[in-house]
Amino acid sequence: MGFFGRRGRKGAGAAPAGGAPGGRAVEAPEAVVRMTAEEAERLTRLTQEAYEQGVGHQVLPSRAGAALDAFDRSARHLDELCRATPDEPRLWHMRGALLYARASTRLALGQTEEAVADLGACVDAYGRSALPNAPLLAADALIRRARAYGEAGRPLAALTDVDRAIGAYVAAGAYESPHPLLPDFARVLALASVVQLKVGDVDQALACARQSLARYKDLTRQRGGLGREEAGYMADAAGDTASRLEAARGDWDAALGVDLVVRETAEAGVGGLGRALAREGLHLRLSGRVRQAAPLLARADELEPGAVDREEEAAALPLPPSLADALAAGEELLRERRDAAPSRGELAALREELTGHESYSSSVRVRMGSAFAPKAALLVRAADLLLREGRVAEAWRIALETHLVCDSIVRRAGDAAPDLLPELAGPWGDALEVASRAAVSAGRDSFVTDVAAAAGRLRAMLAEAPDAPGPA
């Protein structure tokens, strides 16, 4: 079967990826060449064999270099096939799988930029394959790229990919249970929670984690257990995020409930038991259950010296403000400055509209569609006011979320997007301008670069819609 119809490896530390010779993303050559059926069969076999060799090498971290060499060799054979039949959907599917696989290896080798390029080309390849499951295959690449962007300090790019990945699974109906895509959606939500916690909104991070854990619970009930990889995503991604954030909220019963699941998973051989015991013991102690905590903390130190100290340090780290927190800060500022616009009442109503319901992506958060333009302007004014008052984190959160919602609205509008841009472009561009100033104030160079890239994409869209005003 080879990698036709195959999604790729999806271990907790790896995911489907792929690539091209010389460290560049694979692109189908333009010149069409003649090829006999025998030549095509031989190249297909060589492409598949090299790909499978690469996947085999991925099992051992020490073989990452060999895996990369095998994927590059597979890519060269695939290039030859594509010269003969550049529009063959099956070859584009192969290219997507290859790019996905190679990106995983690149990430393991610390080649983040190259991996991101491969994943972007992977999304394009799956799209050009026109296969029924192409959107979901692309979503797997998007959530993988989102993690890479998050690690590189590119929040706008990361969270846009999160939104697109989740949207693909929602469009496929994967939020229902039972559903054949439930394991995949649970994994995507688990990884989304990690990205949101790293560079996004902590409320949405917790929502993703809770949704993921609920789906893994459904899977456990339906099948009587989880596979090893599924258990890894549940514990190490969704469980880790949910435990930390439930504890930060002081909801100890919820935090300890997650801790128990994570510890039982570790006792079954998935994840570090010392860390799981340290986390659970710390939460027991912080919740006032000191006697219950003592044996767990002692055993954690015995299994993994320093684990308790590390968990204490992590628990002491402050969390960034959520959008709800940032908007509430804006309301408080307006209460002190009665002459300021917008009014506190308007901002409070918008806060309720955006954050009064659980959401795990920008597309889920916004419910007003094309009517968002004046509300985006309201958000920008609040962000600008907060920034001028030195509330950099709150200003950043509001400006960033405004951009993400605008991007989500336009992306989902499809062919109708040009009709939305004339009104939306002004406040959207203003949001990016405030985000840039906030990033500069925070001294986050990668954030500045990320905002500049987003502004460039907006200008490109406006160039195709000449009636829309340019960003300020």
Side-chain angles (χ1 to χ4, degrees), residues 69-380:
D69 289 342
F71 290 137
D72 285 348
R73 191 166 62 254
S74 179
R76 288 192 291 272
H77 298 315
L78 184 55
D79 279 347
E80 292 187 57
L81 282 169
C82 287
R83 289 190 187 98
T85 52
D87 298 322
E88 170 58 49
R90 189 176 67 159
L91 295 183
W92 282 107
H93 190 198
M94 290 174 69
R95 190 178 296 280
L98 175 57
L99 286 161
Y100 193 101
R102 194 176 73 173
S104 290
T105 299
R106 291 201 181 286
L107 289 170
L109 292 170
Q111 300 174 4
T112 303
E113 291 186 12
E114 294 88 344
V116 164
D118 274 355
L119 290 168
C122 171
V123 172
D124 177 67
Y126 280 137
R128 295 180 69 171
S129 76
L131 295 171
N133 64 339
L136 299 178
L137 293 170
D140 286 343
L142 287 166
I143 199 66
R144 183 67 165 169
R145 189 173 68 171
R147 290 195 72 182
Y149 275 140
E151 293 298 326
R154 298 280 306 279
L156 282 75
L159 297 173
T160 297
D161 279 355
V162 164
D163 188 71
R164 291 175 64 189
I166 290 176
Y169 277 93
V170 170
Y175 52 84
E176 298 175 354
S177 183
H179 194 283
L181 292 174
L182 200 61
D184 296 313
F185 192 32
R187 171 179 50 82
V188 166
L189 287 168
L191 295 175
S193 77
V194 174
V195 178
Q196 288 283 6
L197 182 59
K198 179 78 175 178
V199 294
D201 186 300
V202 291
D203 288 347
Q204 291 192 325
L206 183 55
C208 287
R210 285 172 171 171
Q211 292 282 344
S212 179
L213 289 171
R215 281 157 177 77
Y216 280 124
K217 184 177 180 180
D218 287 346
L219 284 169
T220 301
R221 184 168 54 248
Q222 292 165 20
R223 303 187 319 202
L226 297 176
R228 185 175 181 84
E229 290 181 330
E230 292 167 339
Y233 283 116
M234 179 194 68
D236 296 339
D240 186 76
T241 300
S243 173
R244 180 180 176 189
L245 294 180
E246 297 286 18
R249 291 180 170 212
D251 191 341
W252 298 114
D253 288 342
L256 289 165
V258 176
D259 291 340
L260 177 61
V261 171
V262 173
R263 182 192 10 116
E264 289 176 344
T265 303
E267 288 172 337
V270 179
L273 181 56
R275 183 187 178 199
L277 290 165
R279 175 78 62 89
E280 185 178 6
L282 177 62
H283 289 167
L284 283 167
R285 190 179 71 194
L286 292 174
S287 65
R289 291 168 250 196
V290 179
R291 285 189 177 180
Q292 291 176 260
L296 272 67
L297 293 172
R299 190 175 172 211
D301 258 337
E302 182 180 324
L303 289 173
E304 189 179 331
V308 176
D309 291 340
R310 288 190 290 273
E311 287 301 317
E312 288 175 336
E313 290 171 4
L317 293 173
L319 293 173
S322 66
L323 179 60
D325 295 333
L327 291 173
E331 293 168 42
E332 183 62 31
L333 194 57
L334 289 169
R335 185 181 290 114
E336 300 169 1
R337 297 181 47 169
R338 302 193 178 191
D339 60 326
S343 75
R344 182 165 55 90
E346 289 177 291
L347 200 57
L350 185 53
R351 173 172 56 83
E352 178 62 25
E353 189 172 11
L354 290 173
T355 67
H357 56 91
E358 184 180 71
S359 64
Y360 40 80
S361 73
S362 302
S363 294
V364 177
R365 170 164 275 163
V366 65
R367 296 183 174 182
M368 68 286 293
S370 60
F372 187 65
K375 296 176 182 183
L378 176 63
L379 289 170
V380 171

Side-chain angles (χ1 to χ4, degrees), residues 7-90:
R7 294 182 77 83
R9 294 172 50 78
K10 290 189 283 192
R24 58 179 174 82
V26 181
E27 296 179 1
E30 294 182 2
V32 178
V33 299
R34 295 184 181 277
M35 183 177 294
T36 66
E38 291 77 9
E39 289 174 323
E41 183 179 352
R42 180 183 67 83
L43 283 172
T44 298
R45 176 175 52 78
L46 292 173
T47 301
Q48 179 174 312
E49 287 176 353
Y51 170 84
E52 292 183 347
Q53 287 170 9
V55 170
H57 288 314
Q58 283 182 320
V59 175
L60 296 174
S62 61
R63 300 295 295 164
L68 194 58
D69 289 342
F71 290 137
D72 285 348
R73 191 166 62 254
S74 179
R76 288 192 291 272
H77 298 315
L78 184 55
D79 279 347
E80 292 187 57
L81 282 169
C82 287
R83 289 190 187 98
T85 52
D87 298 322
E88 170 58 49
R90 189 176 67 159

